[in-house]
Each structure stands twice: as C-alpha cells, then as structure tokens.
Amino acid sequence: MKLSVPLPQPNHFLTSSLQQWKRLPGGIPPARPGHHLDRDRRASNVGPITAALSLVDSPSSFPLYQPPPAQESLSELEPADPDFYKIGYVRSMRAYGIEFKEGPDGFGVYASKDVEPLRRARVIMEIPLELMLTIRQKPPWMFFPDIVPIGHPIFDIINSTDPETDWDLRMACLLLYAFDKQDNFWQLYGDFLPGADECTSLLLATEGDLLELQDPTLATTMKKQQRRVLDFWEKHWHNGAPLKIKRLARDPERLTWAVSVAQSRSIGMQIRIGALVQDSNMLIPYADMLNHSFEPNCFLHWRFKDRMLEVMINAGQRIRKGDEMTINYLGSQKNNMFMQRYGFSSPVNPWDAIEFSGNARIHLDSFLSVFDIAGLPDEYYHKSMKRTNPLIIVSTI
Ligand SMILES: C[S@@+](CC[C@H](N)C(=O)[O-])C[C@H]1O[C@@H](n2cnc3c(N)ncnc32)[C@H](O)[C@@H]1O
C-alpha cells in the first residue's frame, strides 16, 4: 500500500534564525542577519529607488524605503510613463494598509488595519516591472528590465540551458548577475532574502535531512535536482571561466542558494509588453514575501497599462488588523509538490489524497472521518472542498 500523506513541515530550518529578526518601526522587514552583501556600502551606491508606503504605520529608517513627504491615496497616483524603462526612470513600489513582519512561516505580509468587505477587489501592493527580475519562458531569451548585455558571458550560460526544464537555472543566473551589477535594485533587496541557513528549500537540505522526510521518492527527486545544479556549476564555473562569471558564484553552494530562491520565490505569469504577450518567469520583490494558503485572501493581478503587478484583496473579503495576507502558490497540488518546490507541506492541503494499491483514491478528509481518527489537529477535519483560487488574473484592459 502506498500512502501519500502530509509530510512534516521542516520549520526547524527557519525557527532558530527567525527569532533574531527584529521588526523595525513601520513594519518593514529588516535586513536578515548574516546576509551576504554589505548593505551600507550598497545603500550609498543606489540612488533613485524608493518605496511609497502609504497607510503603513510609520516610516522606516532603512534606506531602501523613502516614503513620500505626503500620504497618497489610490486615486492620487500619478499616471505612469509608458516609456519609463526606455528612459531609465525607476518607479516606486507602493503598499497600502500592510506591514512586513516575521511570523510562523518566516517573513510574511500582515494587515495593518481592518478592511471591510468590498464588492471589488482592493489593491494592497503595486510593484512596477522594472523592480522585478523577469525572463521570457521561451527562446529567444528576453529580460525585463534588459539588464544582461548581449556580449556578456552569462548570456551564453543562460543560452545553454534547456528551454523546457531549466527556467530555475536561468532565473538563478539572472539573480546572481543582478546582485553583481552596480546600482541594481536587487543588491539592496538581497538583504531581505533568506540566507542558505534560513531557506526551507530541500535543494539546500543535507542527505540526512532528506532521509528524515521518510519519502524516498521525494528524497531521490531532490538528490537529482541537487546534482543537476552541481553539474551546471561545474560546467560553467570551471577554472577557465572569466572572472566576471566566477565572482557571481564562487562556490556551488552560492548557485544552489540562488536556484532555491528562484524556485521558492518566483512565479510564472503571462504579461504583455507592448503588443507582445509573453509567458514569463518573474521574481517580484515585496510580493515574494506573501506566504501560501489554500484559503488565500489575496491574489496577484498584472496591470497591462502601466506594467504593474498588483496584489489585491479578494472581493468580498473581510480583513482584520493583524491578519496575514496570503496567496495560493500552486493551486490544486499535493504536498509533495509543495515540498519539492518550497520546502513545506500543509496539514490542511485539500488536494492530498491517500492512495491505495488498488484503483481507489480516498480523500484525506473522508479517510479521517470514516476511521474517526482522534487526536489530530482540528484542521484535519475540515469538510468543504476548497475552490481553486487562480494565482494570477491577467487583466484584458
Ligand atoms: C515566497 S516565500 C514567502 C516569504 C518567506 N516566508 C520569507 O521568509 O521570505 C516562500 C517560502 O515561505 C515559506 N512559506 C510560505 N508559505 C508557507 C506555509 N503555508 N507554510 C510554511 N511555510 C511557508 C516557505 O519557506 C517557502 O519556501
């Protein structure tokens, strides 16, 4: 009999280090301890990046966030210049009524005020395209913003990847390149990303950790994935590689960390740039702080007209101050898929089924109620079939 039941959550990866994170005034995530880059040095290099945090309690002193002098409401947003990226103008990220802080699942996004249910979805974050790392899913590879110059050797490395399977390697290359590129926003944002010791991704797990999963199939899959990343590093980061490649990932651990960030924080999305609709992989700063729920109160929406990613509260959703804002990462996937990509599983995953050796597939809920298993958390007993919340709604405006 083959059982597929929720795996234990590997929160031990997170808990010890998370205790050290302190909330700054204004609810802005502080830089994580032990981050790999020198924040002060980079802060002095990066001039034009700002984040407008309307409705957040109070401004933070962290240089990444320079709130505007006056508070703005949604109706007062200035129209965006459609050519902003051509002229190099960097727009701000804006947040409304939320704060970023530490919670049981690492950093998360929390409501800083009550929100009454509205008939229409309501914006809580706006993130402009030029702050994201975006790469087209099919060749010819295109990047937004166009940070990789054609002649740069990282472009050849990206070009060598398998278009079908290696989106995460491409994104990791782009991320490492962005960290290295002078004045790039990601040099600052890197301080907000979890370090290798904080990331729950199983790509970073030791052999012993993988054995503890008690899921040989998942352990084998993860070992193959670790090998794939290592092979990629050995192929491109060899002794003869140019210095500008070598310094991006001096050791394989650095590349593995970047791939785990790519896997656990990026999303696939269809965006329209000009007349072209592009399937893209995107790392979206600030939105990547949203944790997962099977009953999310938010969703992501791409606003075509000014190339903004909006995080929106579901229409009709009541929010209480302090509630965590969540999205559904994968829709109707089982826990092994969540474990594989994000390094966590959920005891309330409505899509996890118990498989028997015959043809029968019994939903976990039915199994638990039929056999009246006692002593399990209440969450196991929920009966309602969850609706699938689409992660992204692409506007047709
Ligand atoms: C996109 S990031 C979200 C922000 C992250 N919590 C942080 O500290 O930066 C995804 C990671 O958050 C954690 N996470 C998100 N949702 C979770 C959940 N429902 N249960 C446990 N961990 C979760 C996992 O470590 C996952 O790999």
Side-chain angles (χ1 to χ4, degrees), residues 264-307:
S264 63
R265 307 183 81 85
S266 54
I267 59 166
M269 189 161 69
Q270 205 173 59
I271 59 171
R272 195 173 72 193
I273 309 279
L276 292 175
V277 175
Q278 314 273 0
D279 286 318
S280 304
N281 294 114
M282 314 176 86
L283 266 176
I284 305 176
Y286 308 101
D288 70 348
M289 294 293 165
L290 289 157
N291 285 322
H292 163 87
S293 167
F294 286 104
E295 289 184 323
N297 45 25
C298 293
F299 64 94
L300 308 181
H301 172 254
W302 178 252
R303 204 165 71 204
F304 280 134
K305 67 177 169 21
D306 54 359
R307 298 155 198 166

Side-chain angles (χ1 to χ4, degrees), residues 9-11 14 18 21 32 101 104-109 189 192-194 198-201 260-261 263-266 287-294 324 326-327 329 338 341-347:
Q9 300 199 35
N11 275 345
L14 280 167
L18 285 175
W21 298 351
R32 302 191 197 222
K101 60 178 183 177
D105 301 325
F107 266 131
V109 182
Y189 195 70
F192 295 83
L193 300 177
E198 299 158 331
C199 212
T200 57
S201 167
S260 68
V261 167
Q263 287 192 358
S264 63
R265 307 183 81 85
S266 54
D288 70 348
M289 294 293 165
L290 289 157
N291 285 322
H292 163 87
S293 167
F294 286 104
E324 180 164 12
T326 52
I327 54 173
Y329 288 177
F338 279 88
R341 179 147 173 199
Y342 302 100
F344 73 88
S345 66
S346 168

Side-chain angles (χ1 to χ4, degrees), residues 121-163:
R122 188 191 182 105
V123 179
I124 54 166
M125 279 193 238
E126 290 179 314
I127 303 133
L129 176 71
E130 63 268 47
L131 293 190
M132 306 169 194
L133 289 180
T134 305
I135 182 165
R136 195 169 176 256
Q137 278 176 8
K138 292 188 187 126
W141 309 121
M142 289 163 71
F143 311 101
F144 307 104
D146 192 3
I147 56 171
V148 183
I150 291 281
H152 195 284
I154 196 71
F155 191 85
D156 298 331
I157 295 179
I158 288 174
N159 228 358
S160 77
T161 56
D162 183 334

